[in-house]
Amino acid sequence: MKVISIVNQKGGCGKTTLAVNFAATLSRMGNEVLLIDLDPQAHATFALGYRENNLEKKTSYDIFRSHIEGEPLPFGEIVIGDRPKLAFIPSNMLLSAAEINLGTMHGAASILSRTLFEPFFEKYEYVIIDSPPSFGFLTLNSMYAADMIVVPIDLGYFSFNGINGVYRVKSLLDKETGRSPSIFFVLNIFDPRSNFASNLEKDAKQKLGEYLLNSKIRSSVKLREASKEGKTIFEYDYKCTAALDYYNFTSEILNVEKIDLGLIVKEFLYRAPEAGAVYVLGDFNGWKKTEAAKLAKDDDGSWRAHLSLKKGKYRYKYLVDETWVNDPINPEIEENAFGSVDSVVTI
């Protein structure tokens, strides 16, 4: 399980929108994902279409309440699972009480981290945490639990101030815990037409260097409309440029995650609206038809899979309803031992 916290002490930088749609993208790539709303303002909860008056589940507050009252945590009662591969723990204003009651308690910053070690959460490949726009008790819990911290910046002066705050808090946590989660920054709500944004982008690259991701999330009316409707960007308009931005951003995060292992995330895409099942088989998986080799179908009839591969050259084919097919969008082919040809990809 990989825990990724979305953090910035400045509000209005698109932090919640990033957390919600990042989690949605990971789930569309075939991962089991848990999104946790750790903000008492409950913006992620609202962005996914939930309101306090229609929430039957408990909330992230109960993670901390169970420690206050010494009661077992009812895991099944706090997780909403009504979206494919995207589970969710909502929030409400009661979460503010946790900071008041637990903020000074020894070990309070590790409550969420210890909770996520419970066997109930082992099924999730990724946990995404939407942190509040401050550096209090709740954000400390978010950062303490994290394997990676992602900081959205909107290229404003105060957003850059938020960067300095994240570095300071992370440094303190590193010293106290001995852990050192990786940290990356992404340009969010980015307007490529603006000279002001272009100049600030140069400043960001100079200030952040290799920790600034290449991908950007462009400013989009569709993202605001989707949040208002209580939908992810893929539920609202999966063909829009914002959806593409999130695919690019998520793919880059996955590549960064795998870099220490010498792995690169490769997307395999095959369009077959009428197909019942599509697999990608090749040298990288021993040509074995397994669940890991199965592509997920998008709403537009495209099938996608994202595989983590070592650098090298691989032969592969698609198996479409038990029929072998070469990759129609990859012109690279080589003859095989059976007198036909295979598609070839070099990573």
Side-chain angles (χ1 to χ4, degrees):
M1 179 176 67
K2 185 92 170 182
V3 181
I4 303 177
S5 295
I6 313 300
V7 176
N8 195 323
Q9 73 181 71
K10 175 187 176 292
C13 62
K15 175 180 56 60
T16 294
T17 302
L18 183 77
V20 168
N21 290 294
F22 177 31
T25 310
L26 283 168
S27 69
R28 283 179 68 88
M29 288 179 168
N31 301 288
E32 292 291 342
V33 182
L34 173 65
L35 172 64
I36 301 177
D37 189 349
L38 211 61
D39 186 350
Q41 298 176 91
H43 288 169
T45 301
F46 298 150
L48 285 175
Y50 305 109
R51 299 292 184 269
E52 284 193 50
N53 58 3
N54 66 10
L55 270 179
E56 298 179 358
K57 295 280 183 179
K58 296 182 182 294
T59 70
S60 55
Y61 166 67
D62 291 278
I63 293 174
F64 301 96
R65 181 192 59 78
S66 67
H67 285 267
I68 297 171
E69 300 178 1
E71 296 179 356
L73 180 62
F75 298 113
E77 295 181 23
I78 67 171
V79 177
I80 298 173
D82 56 1
R83 284 177 164 90
K85 292 186 175 294
L86 178 56
F88 178 57
I89 297 180
S91 175
N92 60 25
M93 287 301 295
L94 285 175
L95 192 55
S96 299
E99 189 149 17
I100 296 171
N101 293 321
L102 289 170
T104 59
M105 189 178 88
H106 178 71
S110 65
I111 289 175
L112 180 60
S113 177
R114 283 181 275 141
T115 300
L116 291 176
F117 274 108
E118 294 286 345
F120 176 86
F121 296 100
E122 290 178 354
K123 58 190 168 187
Y124 300 111
E125 295 166 89
Y126 290 93
V127 175
I128 308 301
I129 305 173
D130 182 30
S131 311
S134 65
F135 284 129
F137 162 79
L138 295 170
T139 298
L140 288 178
N141 264 268
S142 174
M143 294 176 70
Y144 191 105
D147 299 298
M148 178 187 293
I149 296 167
V150 175
V151 185
I153 51 177
D154 63 356
L155 296 178
Y157 171 75
F158 293 107
S159 186
F160 273 93
N161 276 356
I163 292 172
N164 296 327
V166 172
Y167 272 132
R168 286 195 297 271
V169 174
K170 180 182 179 297
S171 177
L172 288 172
L173 283 173
D174 290 352
K175 290 178 181 177
E176 288 193 16
T177 66
R179 298 177 68 251
S180 185
S182 54
I183 183 167
F184 295 96
F185 300 83
V186 59
L187 299 179
N188 202 25
I189 321 177
F190 184 77
D191 184 357
R193 302 165 299 178
S194 165
N195 289 331
F196 176 72
S198 297
N199 290 332
L200 281 175
E201 181 184 2
K202 293 177 183 176
D203 292 341
K205 287 180 178 178
Q206 185 175 14
K207 184 180 183 69
L208 302 172
E210 63 183 358
Y211 300 107
L212 179 66
L213 298 173
N214 292 318
S215 50
K216 307 177 187 69
I217 308 297
R218 288 169 285 184
S219 178
S220 170
V221 174
K222 296 283 188 181
L223 285 169
R224 294 192 289 273
E225 292 173 346
S227 294
K228 185 177 180 181
E229 293 290 325
K231 297 178 179 179
T232 70
I233 192 60
F234 301 102
E235 292 167 339
Y236 186 73
D237 186 354
Y238 62 87
K239 295 181 180 179
C240 70
T241 56
L244 176 62
D245 285 350
Y246 273 99
Y247 263 120
N248 291 336
F249 162 71
T250 304
S251 295
E252 186 173 5
I253 287 289
L254 293 179
N255 276 326
V256 166
E257 177 197 354
K258 301 293 185 183
I259 199 74
D260 291 337
L261 301 175
L263 301 177
I264 300 295
V265 176
K266 165 66 179 172
E267 180 181 69
F268 291 89
L269 173 66
Y270 188 83
R271 181 167 175 76
E274 305 302 322
V278 179
Y279 294 81
V280 58
L281 308 180
D283 297 335
F284 40 74
N285 56 17
W287 297 86
K288 293 179 180 178
K289 181 183 172 184
T290 64
E291 279 300 306
K294 190 174 184 179
L295 280 66
K297 190 175 185 180
D298 287 344
D299 296 334
D300 65 350
S302 298
W303 296 77
R304 297 175 189 267
H306 295 80
L307 304 183
S308 300
L309 306 177
K310 291 184 177 181
K311 291 182 178 180
K313 185 167 76 171
Y314 301 93
R315 296 172 180 267
Y316 70 98
K317 285 181 181 288
Y318 292 111
L319 186 62
V320 183
D321 292 338
E322 303 305 319
T323 299
W324 291 102
V325 181
N326 282 326
D327 190 340
I329 61 175
N330 178 10
E332 299 298 321
I333 56 173
E334 286 187 3
E335 291 186 10
N336 58 35
F338 303 99
S340 60
V341 295
D342 299 323
S343 294
V344 175
V345 61
T346 301
I347 304 298

